[in-house]
Amino acid sequence: MSETVRRNATLDDAIAEARARYVAANPASLARHVESLAVMPGGNTRTVLHVDPFPLAMAAGEGGVLRDADGHAYLDFLGEYTAGLFGHANPVIRAAIDRALDGGISLGAANLVEARFARAVCDRFGLERVRFTNSGTEANLMALATACAVTGRRGVLAFRGGYHGGLLAFGAASPTNAPYDVVLAPYNDLDATQAAIAAEAGRLAAIILEPMQGGGGCIPAEPAFLAGLRDAADAAGALLILDEVMTSRLAPGGLQSVLGVRPDLTTLGKYVGGGMSFGAFGGGAAVMDRFDPRRPDAFAHAGTFNNNVLTMSAGLAGLTEVFTPEACAALGARGEALRARLNDRARAHGAQMQFTGIGSMMTVHFAAGPIRRVEDVAGADPRLKELFFFDLLASGIWLARRGMMNLSLPTDDAACAALEAAVEEFLCSHAAFLQ
């Protein structure tokens, strides 16, 4: 591939060639896409999965490998946007789901697993109380609703580049965001954030952020920034909400456990449900006990599938038997080492290309200099991420179109070596576009 690509005179030529290879190699995925257009707008029911000219259709997954409708195999470095931590068809989780199925699916009652799972979640992430939802989006909506109800205010301070679910996306203006009174501040800029908080004095119910922005490009929060937000939230009488839907996988007790910041509320999701639909919000008893239905002034929290036995069983097995603190630490170390090697390769080529992240999560950026917030990569050429995506697919690497990659538990040395080789090939083939 590299000799052919080196002949491309322009970046647009290289992208056109990569797209043409993609179309020619995936006729079955194209056929599925055309068929789906008749019943789904754009042939799609999950926007992030759309890729021009059409998305690949995956037929099956096993361990750390995916196979598409045309029979191509891919090393799964997407990991279902962090939710696929356990890989595909983990036997321990599969056995837990089978046992749950034997007892019935929708019982319409309290069941025998939910309290055990709640105890495991609370112990793992330092919560006094927790309530379950069906997604991270729902967990964040409930956390914000809780903050508003507790404080009697409606204002929310969030951060540019933040993503807290399909109804709380702040990478760009979204007409489908939930109608909270949101003020946006720049991530990792404590002075500007404190000024924004001061300007909203008396109106803020919550400050919400990810301790590392996931959808915004795997940009970690600086410890001093988080510590300043804790103090600012207290001074403003607002609740500090840490969205650990993605980042809870980055340390045994969630990323907050190593950053030394204790929020009022924590939200969870993704892998914590063992691969099933899941979300949760929790924190101290003083706030969370407002949901105690024995209270005459209790907050209501409904949800038909909040305690469904499949998620409760899969989540309990995953958290206590598979993703142990030791497994979490080992996966994080593997990701740290891989990201360092990838950055070494980029530097060796003198490329304006770097991989940001923590542990098992990373994103490629085509920019030089430190990346502390989304504004630092605003000038990067988006065509380079498109070319990177198509080139790595051609090398058998499955990743997000936006350049995000996540290791899962089945990711081994051979898979990491394959990713390194694919990145090296990209660096060699497109050196002229990376200076």
Side-chain angles (χ1 to χ4, degrees), residues 61-76:
E62 182 177 357
V65 177
L66 289 166
R67 191 168 297 277
D68 70 16
D70 289 281
H72 306 124
Y74 299 89
L75 295 171
D76 187 359

Side-chain angles (χ1 to χ4, degrees), residues 116-411:
R116 294 171 58 203
F117 183 35
R119 170 50 58 197
V121 170
C122 285
D123 289 349
R124 184 70 170 260
F125 300 112
L127 309 176
E128 291 183 341
R129 304 282 193 274
V130 69
R131 288 186 75 88
F132 298 132
T133 65
N134 294 279
S135 70
T137 298
E138 190 181 341
N140 281 316
L141 288 170
M142 285 302 306
L144 290 175
T146 302
C148 291
V150 167
T151 64
R153 304 170 179 174
R154 295 293 300 172
V156 173
L157 188 136
F159 293 88
R160 287 191 285 273
Y163 179 81
H164 306 287
L167 299 174
L168 296 164
F170 304 115
S174 173
T176 58
N177 271 350
Y180 283 104
D181 183 5
V182 176
V183 174
L184 295 180
Y187 197 68
N188 275 330
D189 188 333
L190 184 57
D191 289 342
T193 301
Q194 289 173 329
I197 293 171
E200 301 297 322
R203 294 198 319 109
L204 285 184
I207 300 170
I208 185 170
L209 77 158
E210 305 153 271
M212 179 179 76
Q213 290 190 332
C218 290
I219 301 175
E222 296 163 358
F225 175 64
L226 288 176
L229 290 183
R230 176 67 279 176
D231 292 341
D234 290 339
L239 271 61
L240 179 64
I241 302 171
L242 281 191
D243 176 349
E244 292 236 46
V245 170
M246 287 188 175
T247 61
S248 68
R249 67 177 358 232
L250 298 179
L255 195 51
Q256 63 187 264
S257 69
V258 295
L259 292 173
V261 173
R262 178 62 60 190
D264 298 294
L265 290 170
T266 296
T267 58
L268 301 166
K270 301 292 187 185
Y271 77 93
V272 181
M276 308 297 287
S277 296
F278 173 78
F281 66 104
V287 172
M288 291 301 297
D289 279 353
R290 298 295 297 270
F291 288 94
D292 186 339
R294 298 171 298 180
R295 294 175 57 136
D297 60 345
F299 299 160
H301 172 218
T304 300
F305 298 106
N306 286 352
N307 68 334
N308 77 86
V309 295
L310 298 185
T311 295
M312 301 296 100
S313 300
L316 179 62
L319 204 59
T320 62
E321 300 180 53
V322 185
F323 196 52
T324 61
E326 294 77 15
C328 176
L331 184 65
R334 182 184 292 277
E336 286 288 320
L338 174 61
R339 193 177 69 259
R341 294 195 300 271
L342 294 175
N343 279 324
D344 285 344
R345 288 179 180 270
R347 281 191 293 269
H349 284 268
Q352 292 194 25
M353 174 181 175
Q354 60 182 292
F355 296 80
T356 61
I358 296 174
S360 60
M361 294 173 58
M362 69 181 79
T363 296
V364 65
H365 297 280
F366 293 94
I371 299 174
R372 302 176 60 242
R373 57 185 67 91
V374 293
E375 291 88 343
D376 293 332
V377 294
D381 192 332
R383 296 176 298 171
L384 289 170
K385 282 199 175 185
E386 181 177 5
L387 184 60
F388 185 78
F389 172 74
F390 283 122
D391 270 27
L392 261 65
L393 285 186
S395 296
I397 305 294
W398 182 240
L399 72 163
R401 167 63 181 79
R402 64 178 181 241
M404 184 186 199
M405 291 176 282
N406 307 291
L407 279 67
S408 59
L409 291 173
T411 304

